[in-house]
Amino acid sequence: MRMKHQNLIVLVILVLTGFFLQKSYINEFPSYIHAWAQSDRYALSQGFVNNDLNFFQPETFVYNHQFPDNWDSPSTKSISAVDFPIHDYIPAIFMKILDSKSPWIYRLYTLLYSFLGLFFLFKLSRLITSSFYKSILVTVFAATSPVFVYYQAGFLPTIPSLSNAIVGLYFYIKYIESRKNFDFSLSILFLTLGALSRTTFAIPLIAVLGLELLRISKRKAELKPKIFTVILSISSILAYLLYNDYLRKTYGSIFLNHLMPANNVAEFLAIIKVVGKNWVFQYFSITHYIGFILVTLLAVVFAVFKRNIIDKKTETILFLTSIIFFGCFLFSILMIKQYQAHDYYFIDTYFLPLLLLFALGLSALPKLKMKTNNVVYIIILLTFSIPLITNAHQTQKERRKTGNWDRTNSTINNFKDSENYLNSLGINDNAKILVIDAYAPNIPFLLMNRKGYVLLSTEREVIENALNWDYEYIVYQNEFFLSDIYSAYPEIISRMNRIGENGNISVCVLNKTRANTTLLEFLGLNESQALVNVTMDYETKTSNLWENTNSTSDYFYSGDKSGLLTPEMNYGLTYKTKYLPQLKNKKSILFFESYLMRNSINNVEIVVSITENESTTYYKSYDLKDLLKHTNEWEKISLQFELPKIYSDDYEFAIFICNTGKTSLFVDDFNFRIF
C-alpha cells in the first residue's frame, strides 16, 4: 500500500472516530468539568468579536479581575492579560464571518486542530517505528485517552498547543534524518506557536534547542543556518511576555500567571495521592495502562535478551524524550497544586513524552515475518482499539453526569435565555451588571450577553464593597439568594429593589434610601396568598403526614419542646404527602423557615423532593453546615425552592432533614409555605 493511501486511511479513521466521539457535544455551552476555565476562553473569543478583532486587546465580559486583587477592585476595562490568544482569536474570525457566536464554531476549530496533531503523531510515530500499523496504534492510543477526548473539541488552548508541539517534533526528527534546515525552521515555528499559547509547551521547544546545541557542539549540525530561526523564536516569545506583562500591570488578569508549589514534602505527597485518586483513570483507561506496560516489558526483554542495537536516530529520540520528561517533572513540582483539580495539566506536560515512549517501545518490538502479517496486525489493532474507543465514548457521558450538587450546571440553567429576559425588561445591551454569587466569572455574562462585575464570594464585606461600584443593575440566582447571599448579609434586602424575576434569576436596582422591608415583601411573596402553610412547633397535635417527630424538653426556641435529630438517625423531621393539588400543572415557590441549633459542625441537609410515577423529578438540598454560623445557639434559617410543575396523578411531595454527617440537631418552629 502506498504511503499516500496510508495517510488517507489514517485521516479517515481520525475524522470518523473524532466525530463519533464528539458529535453529541459539538454545540454544547462550556459546562461540566472545568466549565470555569473553558467559559473564560469562550468569553475571550466573543470579546474579540465585540472589539472588532483587536488581537492586542484581549477581553472577556468582566470588569473586575482575579489578579492581582482577587476580584475586589473594579475596572473600567474588561481587558485581561492572557498567554498568546491565537486559538481564541481564530474562532472569533469565523464567528465574525458567520455572524454567529455559537459554541460549535469554537469547538469545531479545536476538533480540527486535534486532527492535525493526531495525524502528525502518526507521521512522527512512523519515523520512530518504521511501521504503518504500529504508528496507527500510537495514534489510537492518544486519540482515545479519556482526558484528551474530553478536551478534543473544547475551548482550552491545550489541544491546539499539543498539536503544534507534535508537528514541531515531527519536523525536528525529520530534520535529523534529512539534514534540511527548512525542516528545522518548520520545527521551531510550530514549537514556538505551542509555547506562545500554552507556557508548558516551552518544555519541548527548550528540549529541541538544547539537543540541537549539543549536536552543534559535537559538530553533527551547523549553527549558522539556524541563528535567524532561533532568534526569531526567542524574540517572539520574549516580546509577547513583555506585552502580556504590560497588560497584567495595566488591566489585571483573570488567568493564573504564578507558580503553585506545595508548601512541604508532606503536602506534595498528599496532592499526588489526590491526583491518583481523581484522575489516574481519566488520563488513560485500564486498557491503555495494560497496553503500555505490556509494550514496555516486551521492549525491555528484546533489548536485554535479544541484544537489540539502538540506532543513532532512536538514541536521539530517547534522549530528547528524557529531556522533555525531566522538564515536565520540574514544572509539575512548581505547579503541583494545579494538578489536583486540573486534569488538563497532564495533557500540557506528561501526555506527549509518554506517547513518545510508547512509540519507542513499539519500535523495539520485531516485525512479524509471515505472509499474513497484515491480517495479524489488523486483528491486534482492532482488539486493542475497539475497547479504547468504547471506553472513550462512555467516559464522555460519565464526565457529563450532573446533579443538584453541580453549581456550574445550576448557574447555566438559571441564566439560560437571560439575554432575552433582560431585553424584555428594556435593559440596554451596554448596561453594566453586578452579578452576586456567580460561581464562575464569565458564564452569567456570556448568557446575558452583557458585561459587568462578578462576585464569587458572598462574604458580607465583599458584597458591601461591590454595592458601591459603578453598575446599573444587580442580578442574582433565586435558588442561592437565601442560602448564600441573604444568610451572609441579611441587610441586603434593604439595599436593593427587585424590578423583575423569571423564576431563575432576579433583577434589582440599588436602593439608595435603604428602606425597611420584610424578606417576604422583598421576594414578592404575599403571606396571605400562600396556597399551603404547614408548621411543626412540637407543641400542638400533628397530622399523620409528619414522620420522625421525636422531641425533647432539654432545649427549645419557643414553647417548652423542640425536635431532636440524633447521630443514629438517617432522617430527621419529615413531611410527606401525595395530595397537594396546588402543585399540579403549574410552577410554584416553596418558602421554608425554621429555628435550628447544632452542637457540632457536620453535614446535615434540608431536602425537598418530588417523585412522579416512582421516579424522582425534583430533588434539591441545602447543607446546614454552611448556613448555621454558630454552635449551641438558635439560628433562623430561610430557604427558597423553585418547584416544577407536577403532571402525574401518581406523585409524592416530601420535605425532610437528611442526616448525611451523622450529627445531632435541634429543630423548632419548622414551617414551609407554598406560593
Side-chain angles (χ1 to χ4, degrees):
M1 191 186 302
R2 293 182 179 179
M3 188 172 292
K4 185 185 295 185
H5 293 152
Q6 291 177 347
N7 289 343
L8 182 60
I9 288 172
V10 172
L11 272 175
V12 170
I13 291 173
L14 290 175
V15 171
L16 290 178
T17 303
F19 277 106
F20 168 71
L21 295 173
Q22 305 296 339
K23 59 183 174 60
S24 300
Y25 317 107
I26 199 67
N27 199 39
E28 184 178 72
F29 185 85
S31 311
Y32 310 106
I33 298 175
H34 301 308
W36 178 328
Q38 298 204 73
S39 61
D40 286 346
R41 307 305 303 209
Y42 186 37
L44 272 176
S45 196
Q46 292 203 19
F48 285 127
V49 174
N50 296 333
N51 72 7
D52 292 324
L53 301 177
N54 186 339
F55 181 81
F56 294 100
Q57 289 196 341
E59 62 177 309
T60 65
F61 284 84
V62 294
Y63 286 110
N64 53 325
H65 299 92
Q66 183 174 8
F67 305 103
D69 298 321
N70 196 30
W71 311 104
D72 288 338
S73 298
S75 173
T76 58
K77 299 286 186 180
S78 60
I79 296 171
S80 172
V82 61
D83 288 344
F84 198 67
I86 188 66
H87 303 301
D88 312 293
Y89 188 76
I90 295 176
I93 295 174
F94 287 102
M95 289 178 185
K96 200 81 170 175
I97 293 171
L98 298 171
D99 192 25
S100 170
K101 297 178 181 178
S102 298
W104 70 264
I105 299 172
Y106 202 129
R107 287 187 181 276
L108 183 60
Y109 167 79
T110 308
L111 180 62
L112 293 176
Y113 223 117
S114 78
F115 293 156
L116 174 71
L118 291 171
F119 178 69
F120 273 88
L121 177 62
F122 164 77
K123 292 171 73 68
L124 173 60
S125 301
R126 188 75 176 264
L127 291 178
I128 297 172
T129 65
S130 301
S131 167
F132 171 67
Y133 292 105
K134 290 179 181 179
S135 302
I136 291 181
L137 197 58
V138 175
T139 309
V140 171
F141 186 91
T144 54
S145 157
V147 67
F148 177 88
V149 170
Y150 182 70
Y151 296 107
Q152 185 182 14
F155 299 86
L156 299 182
T158 289
I159 295 298
S161 300
L162 170 67
S163 297
N164 282 330
I166 291 171
V167 176
L169 289 179
Y170 163 75
F171 280 111
Y172 183 67
I173 302 304
K174 185 181 178 186
Y175 152 76
I176 290 175
E177 287 187 333
S178 68
R179 298 186 180 183
K180 293 180 180 178
N181 289 315
F182 181 68
D183 287 333
F184 179 81
S185 297
L186 284 176
S187 170
I188 299 304
L189 169 65
F190 281 97
L191 288 170
T192 302
L193 285 173
L196 277 168
S197 57
R198 195 68 178 158
T199 307
T200 49
F201 288 100
I203 296 171
L205 173 62
I206 294 170
V208 164
L209 292 177
L211 179 57
E212 193 59 18
L213 186 62
L214 184 63
R215 281 165 42 82
I216 290 170
S217 68
K218 292 183 177 181
R219 299 189 177 182
K220 294 181 179 180
E222 296 181 79
L223 172 63
K224 191 174 179 180
K226 303 176 180 66
I227 292 176
F228 177 75
T229 301
V230 173
I231 289 177
L232 188 62
S233 169
I234 295 173
S235 298
S236 62
I237 291 174
L238 289 177
Y240 193 78
L241 281 175
L242 290 172
Y243 183 71
N244 205 28
D245 187 58
Y246 158 76
L247 290 177
R248 186 174 293 107
K249 290 177 179 177
T250 306
Y251 302 104
S253 178
I254 65 170
F255 299 97
L256 182 70
N257 72 303
H258 60 265
L259 302 177
M260 296 186 69
N263 296 321
N264 49 56
V265 175
E267 185 182 25
F268 181 85
L269 295 175
I271 291 173
I272 293 295
K273 187 177 180 180
V274 171
V275 171
K277 179 182 178 182
N278 290 347
W279 303 122
V280 68
F281 290 111
Q282 295 298 316
Y283 296 156
F284 294 116
S285 68
I286 293 176
T287 307
H288 281 95
Y289 287 114
I290 293 173
F292 189 90
I293 293 170
L294 184 62
V295 167
T296 303
L297 290 175
L298 288 174
V300 170
V301 168
F302 280 103
V304 174
F305 294 101
K306 296 294 183 180
R307 297 183 181 181
N308 288 349
I309 299 174
I310 300 177
D311 58 53
K312 290 293 183 181
K313 183 181 72 173
T314 302
E315 188 179 84
T316 301
I317 297 170
L318 185 58
F319 184 59
L320 178 64
T321 303
S322 301
I323 298 173
I324 296 173
F325 255 120
F326 182 68
C328 292
F329 176 70
L330 292 179
F331 176 84
S332 61
I333 291 176
L334 296 174
M335 294 295 292
I336 190 64
K337 287 183 178 179
Q338 286 293 87
Y339 281 81
Q340 61 184 335
H342 299 81
D343 55 349
Y344 54 85
Y345 268 68
F346 177 76
I347 307 178
D348 290 332
T349 51
Y350 293 106
F351 189 68
L352 178 55
L354 283 171
L355 294 178
L356 292 174
L357 205 58
F358 187 60
L360 286 166
L362 287 172
S363 70
L365 304 185
K367 293 182 179 180
L368 296 176
K369 295 180 179 180
M370 57 180 71
K371 295 181 179 179
T372 58
N373 59 356
N374 283 350
V375 176
V376 174
Y377 275 127
I378 290 172
I379 292 173
I380 293 173
L381 190 60
L382 289 176
T383 302
F384 191 62
S385 299
I386 290 174
L388 291 180
I389 295 172
T390 302
N391 178 76
H393 181 62
Q394 184 61 32
T395 56
Q396 279 282 68
K397 296 179 180 178
E398 290 175 356
R399 278 178 160 248
R400 287 166 169 80
K401 287 182 179 178
T402 186
N404 69 303
W405 44 266
D406 189 345
R407 288 286 293 264
T408 301
N409 190 60
S410 295
T411 300
I412 293 170
N413 288 332
N414 288 334
F415 279 93
K416 194 173 293 183
D417 297 324
S418 58
E419 179 183 4
N420 292 331
Y421 179 63
L422 295 185
N423 290 341
S424 72
L425 294 177
I427 296 176
N428 193 283
D429 291 346
N430 297 319
K432 292 182 180 179
I433 312 290
L434 172 65
V435 177
I436 302 178
D437 195 22
Y439 195 69
N442 273 291
I443 285 176
F445 299 101
L446 280 162
L447 294 167
M448 291 188 297
N449 195 25
R450 285 163 173 82
K451 291 184 179 182
Y453 306 97
V454 63
L455 296 189
L456 301 176
S457 167
T458 56
E459 293 181 8
R460 182 189 187 93
E461 297 76 12
V462 172
I463 297 174
E464 284 186 324
N465 177 46
L467 289 177
N468 296 316
W469 294 350
D470 177 29
Y471 57 86
E472 293 163 78
Y473 299 94
I474 303 168
V475 173
Y476 62 80
Q477 301 175 68
N478 291 352
E479 68 174 299
F480 304 124
F481 175 72
L482 294 178
S483 60
D484 292 36
I485 302 172
Y486 177 77
S487 66
Y489 184 29
E491 295 87 347
I492 195 170
I493 63 174
S494 66
R495 301 292 308 275
M496 304 186 301
N497 288 329
R498 286 208 317 174
I499 63 172
E501 68 92 23
N502 65 355
N504 295 315
I505 62 171
S506 290
V507 182
C508 306
V509 293
L510 188 66
N511 184 348
K512 297 181 180 180
T513 63
R514 304 196 183 196
N516 291 328
T517 184
T518 67
L519 178 57
L520 284 177
E521 287 173 344
F522 176 81
L523 296 174
L525 303 176
N526 188 329
E527 188 165 5
S528 64
Q529 295 179 353
L531 303 174
V532 176
N533 190 341
V534 180
T535 299
M536 165 59 77
D537 59 10
Y538 292 93
E539 311 296 331
T540 57
K541 186 177 180 181
T542 62
S543 74
N544 57 6
L545 299 177
W546 290 101
E547 300 176 10
N548 304 329
T549 58
N550 50 311
S551 61
T552 178
S553 299
D554 294 339
Y555 299 96
F556 46 84
Y557 177 78
S558 63
D560 56 13
K561 287 190 296 184
S562 69
L564 175 62
L565 176 71
T566 64
E568 296 76 26
M569 300 170 62
N570 292 324
Y571 298 97
L573 184 63
T574 300
Y575 180 91
K576 290 183 180 179
T577 180
K578 294 186 177 182
Y579 183 75
L580 270 182
Q582 298 87 345
L583 300 182
K584 289 295 295 292
N585 300 314
K586 63 179 179 181
K587 293 183 178 181
S588 53
I589 296 172
L590 185 149
F591 181 75
F592 165 82
E593 284 185 314
S594 182
Y595 288 91
L596 305 166
M597 182 171 69
R598 66 179 179 185
N599 55 25
S600 62
I601 304 175
N602 289 331
N603 295 325
V604 58
E605 299 176 351
I606 299 293
V607 181
V608 173
S609 70
I610 297 174
T611 58
E612 296 182 68
N613 300 317
E614 299 183 353
S615 177
T616 301
T617 55
Y618 178 83
Y619 186 97
K620 179 67 181 176
S621 66
Y622 290 96
D623 197 334
L624 296 176
K625 179 181 178 181
D626 303 320
L627 298 175
L628 297 173
K629 311 299 181 185
H630 310 283
T631 57
N632 300 316
E633 183 178 323
W634 286 103
E635 297 178 66
K636 186 178 183 179
I637 298 298
S638 301
L639 297 170
Q640 180 175 320
F641 298 81
E642 304 283 340
L643 303 182
K645 297 177 183 178
I646 293 179
Y647 295 103
S648 173
D649 291 326
D650 180 14
Y651 69 89
E652 182 178 72
F653 164 87
I655 179 169
F656 57 94
I657 299 174
C658 184
N659 196 5
T660 51
K662 302 301 179 184
T663 189
S664 59
L665 182 74
F666 297 94
V667 184
D668 210 349
D669 295 339
F670 187 102
N671 171 263
F672 70 90
R673 281 159 281 184
I674 297 177
F675 296 87

